[in-house]
Amino acid sequence: MPRIITIGREFGSGGRELGRRIADDLKIAYYDNEIITRIAERTDLSEDYVKHVMESEPSALLPITVGRSFYMRMDPVMEQNNAIYREQSHLILELAEKSDCVIVGRSADYILRQMQPFRLFVYAQKEHKLERCRKRAAEQEHFTDRELWRHIRDVDRRRARYYQFFTGQTWGDRLNYDLCINTSNAGIKELAEAITRLVG
């Protein structure tokens, strides 16, 4: 069975960098934004639109019931969103079956649950997330700390609601992961090396 590592992460926690370093250390495939590109190619939708759907919270938080399925059929926007999620699920399964890999975000931990991936969730304290965002994104330099923190929380809220809507599970709940990592007081490089030893 392929060696699969999935990474859920709070915005600004360093989860993407951690995933890249783990993949490099293990010399296995790494998937993140490439998934958006491939879905766009398969669906003839623009990458910007696919990214927008994946980063937007569903328009209604309904439980996973027949009612929700009925709602999706009746609402063309929700049906389109559901179609993108289905394509995302098919693609992630194909990638995981193809080779060992690290997959960042995209509800991969849930989609691949039958393959029993090693599931990480990465988080950090407020001040460390602010600092990391300042270093990584020049376009956010004009934000005040208050504005940047609001942006971080908005991104995490949308991720949480998207995950809950399509999986029925709570994003970031420790029971859904094999290892939860606080990156606040540890270097990403050192953490990646430790995880590589753990799963290698």
Side-chain angles (χ1 to χ4, degrees), residues 20-169:
R20 172 69 75 181
R21 286 185 176 274
I22 292 171
D24 288 346
D25 289 348
L26 292 172
K27 296 180 173 52
I28 62 177
Y30 170 86
Y31 299 109
D32 183 7
N33 289 328
E34 299 89 342
I35 292 174
I36 293 175
T37 301
R38 295 196 189 193
I39 291 174
E41 292 171 351
R42 290 184 177 204
T43 60
D44 290 327
L45 298 170
S46 73
E47 287 189 40
D48 286 343
Y49 180 75
V50 174
K51 183 177 181 181
H52 171 73
V53 168
M54 289 184 168
E55 294 180 354
S56 299
E57 59 186 79
S59 58
L61 289 178
L62 300 174
I64 299 180
T65 62
V66 173
R68 193 189 77 168
S69 299
F70 176 78
Y71 173 79
M72 285 181 171
R73 288 196 301 272
M74 296 299 293
D75 187 294
V77 174
M78 279 307 303
E79 178 52 36
Q80 180 71 78
N81 294 354
N82 195 37
I84 290 174
Y85 181 80
R86 286 196 303 269
E87 193 59 49
Q88 171 183 290
S89 299
H90 294 326
L91 176 58
I92 286 174
L93 281 165
E94 288 175 16
L95 295 173
E97 290 170 350
K98 178 180 177 182
S99 69
D100 295 352
C101 62
V102 174
I103 302 177
V104 176
R106 323 299 172 201
S107 305
D109 59 293
Y110 179 81
I111 292 168
L112 300 176
R113 61 194 182 279
Q114 300 301 325
M115 297 182 71
Q116 298 182 324
F118 188 75
R119 305 162 299 169
L120 298 175
F121 188 83
V122 184
Y123 64 101
Q125 295 169 354
K126 176 181 178 179
E127 59 269 26
H128 295 277
K129 292 166 79 170
L130 287 169
E131 180 182 358
R132 186 171 282 110
C133 286
R134 292 273 185 217
K135 290 179 179 178
R136 294 289 187 266
E139 69 272 13
Q140 295 172 353
E141 290 179 354
H142 66 280
F143 284 3
T144 65
D145 280 353
R146 184 175 182 179
E147 290 169 337
L148 181 54
W149 182 239
R150 184 184 304 120
H151 173 68
I152 290 169
R153 287 188 301 170
D154 284 347
V155 171
D156 283 346
R157 185 185 68 249
R158 291 195 299 270
R159 287 178 177 173
R161 293 192 175 187
Y162 180 91
Y163 184 87
Q164 180 185 5
F165 187 83
F166 284 107
T167 72
Q169 297 185 350

